């Protein structure tokens, strides 16, 4: 760990806090996800899958993985990753995005999802908080703590209940025998488009548990208001 200078906490990802700091061997600022393995003992397999997922990704629209280090004499695992400037969710704290900016973000996220789905993987937690922006305007998806490998024995479908309620596809919530596929990511991206356009996902004023009951039985959310027909059609 002498190689790294861990500095300020900048957020929280799945399974651990995220810090920024310096890789002294390269002079590069990086992000550190620090995970206490004692606190997440039951999820160690999921953490290993996240590391494997990140290490195996080679796409300019996915945050880059650098290394994993186990702190000497401690139970903390440090995942070293590319440092980004902020998330789309951070920008939404200032208000909804304009349609041109949303189109740019959606294009880049679709490129990332096309890569993942081509690798038979699902992200399973697409939302504004997991879409990161670089200082030069690059757009990347992050936080693969709930991502999954699409198993050929399941017909490229998953049956595990994971994700964040407001962005979940109906089939993920229902966890039916048929399971779900990469289409769950596309649903979540549509909800994220609404989130970027309005400042929050549908049902944001409701308790998450109530949302879990509403999403499977309600019609798919629509985008209303002053937006272009093409954008409304994209969301639909």
């Amino acid at each position: 760990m002498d190689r790294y200078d861990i500095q300020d906490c900048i957020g929280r990802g799945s399974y651990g806090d995220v810090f920024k700091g310096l890789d002294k061997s390269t002079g590069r600022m990086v992000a550190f996800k620090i995970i206490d393995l004692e606190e997440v003992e039951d999820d160690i397999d999921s953490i290993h899958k996240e590391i494997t997922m990140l290490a195996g990704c080679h796409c300019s629209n996915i945050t880059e993985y650098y290394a994993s280090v186990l702190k000497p004499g401690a139970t903390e695992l440090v995942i070293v990753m590319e440092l980004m400037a902020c998330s789309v969710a951070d920008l939404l704290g200032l208000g909804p995005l304009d349609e041109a900016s949303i189109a740019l973000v959606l294009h880049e996220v679709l490129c990332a999802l096309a890569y993942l789905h081509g690798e038979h993987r699902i992200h399973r937690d697409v939302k504004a908080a997991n879409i990161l922006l670089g200082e030069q305007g690059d757009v990347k998806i992050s936080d693969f703590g709930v991502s999954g490998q699409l198993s050929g024995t399941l017909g490229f479908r998953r049956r595990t209940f994971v994700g964040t309620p407001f962005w979940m596809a109906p089939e993920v919530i229902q966890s039916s025998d048929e399971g779900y596929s990469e289409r769950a990511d596309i649903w979540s991206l549509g909800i994220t488009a609404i989130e970027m356009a309005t400042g929050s996902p549908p049902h944001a004023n409701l308790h998450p548990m109530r949302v879990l009951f509403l999403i499977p039985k309600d019609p798919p959310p629509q985008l209303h208001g002053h937006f272009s027909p093409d954008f409304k059609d994209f969301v639909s």
Side-chain angles (χ1 to χ4, degrees):
M1 287 299 298
D2 291 342
R3 170 178 173 174
Y4 302 110
D5 176 21
I6 300 175
Q7 301 171 6
D8 302 325
C9 181
I10 57 175
R12 181 167 180 80
S14 57
Y15 303 115
D17 292 330
V18 180
F19 295 77
K20 71 175 181 179
L22 178 67
D23 181 342
K24 291 182 283 189
S25 69
T26 64
R28 175 173 56 192
M29 294 297 291
V30 295
F32 303 94
K33 180 184 284 189
I34 300 180
I35 303 167
D36 189 330
L37 297 179
E38 285 190 342
E39 291 186 2
V40 296
E41 184 176 354
D42 293 339
D43 292 316
I44 288 177
D45 185 55
S46 295
I47 293 166
H48 179 262
K49 288 178 180 177
E50 176 176 7
I51 294 171
T52 303
M53 175 81 159
L54 284 168
C57 286
H58 304 285
C59 174
S60 61
N61 294 111
I62 295 174
T63 49
E64 189 173 354
Y65 165 86
Y66 296 138
S68 298
V69 182
L70 189 62
K71 280 189 174 182
T75 61
E76 290 182 329
L77 176 68
V78 180
I79 302 176
V80 188
M81 301 174 292
E82 179 180 11
L83 178 66
M84 303 293 284
C86 67
S87 71
V88 170
D90 293 330
L91 293 185
L92 292 177
L94 303 175
L97 304 185
D98 63 82
E99 196 167 320
S101 298
I102 294 171
L104 173 62
V105 171
L106 291 174
H107 177 271
E108 300 301 297
V109 175
L110 282 168
C111 289
L113 293 180
Y115 169 82
L116 287 176
H117 297 166
E119 294 288 313
H120 297 163
R121 292 168 171 157
I122 323 175
H123 186 280
R124 298 198 287 177
D125 202 17
V126 176
K127 57 183 179 180
N130 288 338
I131 302 173
L132 304 185
L133 307 175
E135 292 182 351
Q136 304 303 317
D138 42 329
V139 179
K140 305 192 179 193
I141 59 173
S142 69
D143 209 339
F144 290 82
V146 296
S147 63
Q149 184 80 25
L150 287 162
S151 169
T153 59
L154 293 178
F156 299 112
R157 294 180 183 272
R158 297 285 303 196
R159 293 191 177 90
T160 315
F161 181 83
V162 292
T164 310
F166 300 102
W167 293 265
M168 279 184 179
E171 63 268 28
V172 176
I173 294 172
Q174 292 170 323
S175 297
S176 63
D177 290 340
E178 291 78 18
Y180 57 90
S181 68
E182 66 276 358
R183 292 181 181 180
D185 281 344
I186 302 304
W187 172 283
S188 297
L189 184 60
I191 300 301
T192 303
I194 296 175
E195 179 188 12
M196 290 189 287
T198 65
S200 60
H203 307 305
N205 60 322
L206 301 178
H207 190 280
M209 290 304 297
R210 175 158 175 75
V211 174
L212 290 176
F213 287 101
L214 289 176
I215 290 175
K217 70 177 186 178
D218 283 357
Q222 303 291 312
L223 185 62
H224 302 287
H226 59 280
F227 305 101
S228 69
D230 285 344
F231 187 22
K232 291 179 180 179
D233 183 62
F234 175 86
V235 171
S236 300

